[in-house]
Amino acid sequence: AAASDWSVDASSAPRIQSEVAPADLSETYDAMQRSFEAHSFDMAAVEDIRRWFHFEEPPGVGVWPVPYTQQGLQKDCTRLVVFMLDEAPAVAAAAARVSREVMSALGGAGMPCFTVARSSYHVTVFFLSLPTDPVSDPQTSQSKSLSPALVESPSLALSSKKGKQSAFSPDHAREERSIDDACRGLARGPVELEVDRIVMAASGTLLMLFRDPSGCLAPLRGALRETFPGAPAKQTNIAHCTLLRAFPDPDAESGVVLDPRVVEDVNAACVRWSARLQGAKVRLDRAWLVREERFSSLDGPKESFKL
């Protein structure tokens, strides 16, 4: 995802509509872990994420996401249902420590990184609309606002924005009522997830990955898909929280993007924290609808729904 998490690792984390079984989830996580350990970064995936961020030129320092509206996209183009990890403060605190440790290793190697604020830690459940697939009315099957060419080119999108903006007007009250109905209709009560591991994905994304031992996510995602048939076809099919995004630059001469010793340090931190956190339970009794304003930030208006 937050839109945040809809682009975790293009090669290792397939994004499909159907929910995967627990065994397949473990296999997916294994593949994600092996991919970074063996090959470091997938630069195509890194570049796909890089376009949403501003990189301050030296002597300035910093990386931060640019508001979608400043990239020619519509207000409220990114709307998603999530679980917030502020309901699990101990796990969130540990995740922040992992992020700092990995940031230290990567920063020491001169790599720009964006660290997700602890208050924004979340697990994505379902996307009603994405910046790469903006949907005005996900409750109808045909409600797209921008063509794929416009989405891929912010400059083209900006030039057409005035004509398209009036057509893009999500009915937030209706969406909120529908999500509330979907949550109440399941009547399952709180969702309980378990930490599976910490991994650095080849996309440069540091992730806390979860298991869903009681099988709560699939019914909720299914109910939301039934409620919002016009929502983006690409949905996350794993349970993860993004902690950090790293942006390596390819070496023009050698093609090496990171010192192998740094890769070892990052992998060692992931293994160490995975051993500490594996099996830690996260009990969540609310889902949230977020109208995100900047990639990977989970900022913007929010509304909560009792599970």
Side-chain angles (χ1 to χ4, degrees):
S4 318
D5 302 316
W6 48 266
S7 183
V8 171
D9 185 349
S11 61
S12 302
R15 295 166 292 175
I16 56 177
Q17 288 180 248
S18 58
E19 185 71 8
V20 294
D24 296 330
L25 198 61
S26 180
E27 291 173 5
T28 298
Y29 293 169
D30 288 344
M32 294 170 68
Q33 184 172 339
R34 287 195 301 269
S35 181
F36 178 76
E37 290 175 347
H39 307 295
S40 188
F41 292 101
D42 175 346
M43 291 308 299
V46 172
E47 291 305 307
D48 187 55
I49 296 171
R50 184 188 297 271
R51 59 178 167 155
W52 304 107
F53 288 83
H54 168 82
F55 295 81
E56 189 70 3
E57 295 292 332
V61 177
V63 179
W64 57 84
V66 179
Y68 295 125
T69 54
Q70 291 183 18
Q71 300 188 56
L73 294 170
Q74 306 98 325
K75 185 177 183 296
D76 300 326
C77 67
T78 304
R79 308 188 305 285
L80 62 160
V81 178
V82 304
F83 299 136
M84 300 293 294
L85 289 193
D86 56 4
E87 295 187 54
V91 170
R97 291 182 63 188
V98 181
S99 180
R100 287 194 298 270
E101 190 169 323
V102 172
M103 174 72 172
S104 177
L106 296 175
M111 184 178 300
C113 296
F114 171 73
T115 54
V116 178
R118 178 174 162 183
S119 60
S120 296
Y121 287 170
H122 66 280
V123 175
T124 299
V125 178
F126 190 80
F127 295 109
L128 276 65
S129 178
L130 284 167
T132 53
D133 190 2
V135 180
S136 178
D137 180 9
Q139 293 186 264
T140 61
S141 297
Q142 300 294 328
S143 61
K144 309 298 183 188
S145 178
L146 289 182
S147 70
L150 292 174
V151 170
E152 291 300 320
S153 173
S155 61
L156 285 176
L158 187 59
S159 67
S160 74
K161 181 180 178 183
K162 291 183 179 178
K164 294 288 185 179
Q165 190 76 304
S166 60
F168 196 90
S169 53
D171 187 336
H172 301 309
R174 182 186 178 209
E175 290 179 353
E176 290 168 7
R177 289 194 301 270
S178 299
I179 294 170
D180 189 48
D181 289 344
C183 291
R184 291 179 182 276
L186 290 174
R188 294 181 64 101
V191 168
E192 189 170 88
L193 303 177
E194 291 182 358
V195 176
D196 184 84
R197 71 190 80 178
I198 305 290
V199 302
M200 174 65 83
S203 62
T205 310
L206 181 67
L207 302 168
M208 176 178 283
L209 300 173
F210 296 90
R211 295 188 294 265
D212 179 22
S214 57
C216 293
L217 267 177
L220 179 54
R221 285 172 168 166
L224 291 170
R225 168 54 74 192
E226 185 175 341
T227 301
F228 299 104
K234 289 184 177 180
Q235 298 282 341
T236 183
N237 65 342
I238 61 175
H240 67 282
C241 173
T242 297
L243 308 179
L244 173 149
R245 294 188 184 277
F247 297 97
D249 287 319
D251 185 293
E253 295 182 0
S254 68
V256 175
V257 298
L258 195 60
D259 186 318
R261 290 171 297 182
V262 179
V263 175
E264 291 176 4
D265 289 344
V266 171
N267 284 329
C270 291
V271 169
R272 183 169 60 256
W273 280 99
S274 294
R276 293 182 186 179
L277 293 171
Q278 190 174 61
K281 291 179 170 51
V282 174
R283 191 174 186 272
L284 306 153
D285 63 5
R286 288 190 175 274
W288 294 78
L289 172 63
V290 183
R291 304 203 294 273
E292 187 180 60
E293 297 175 350
R294 299 177 305 149
F295 184 86
S296 206
S297 297
L298 214 70
D299 49 6
K302 300 177 179 66
E303 187 67 33
S304 68
F305 308 91
K306 185 76 173 176
L307 295 172

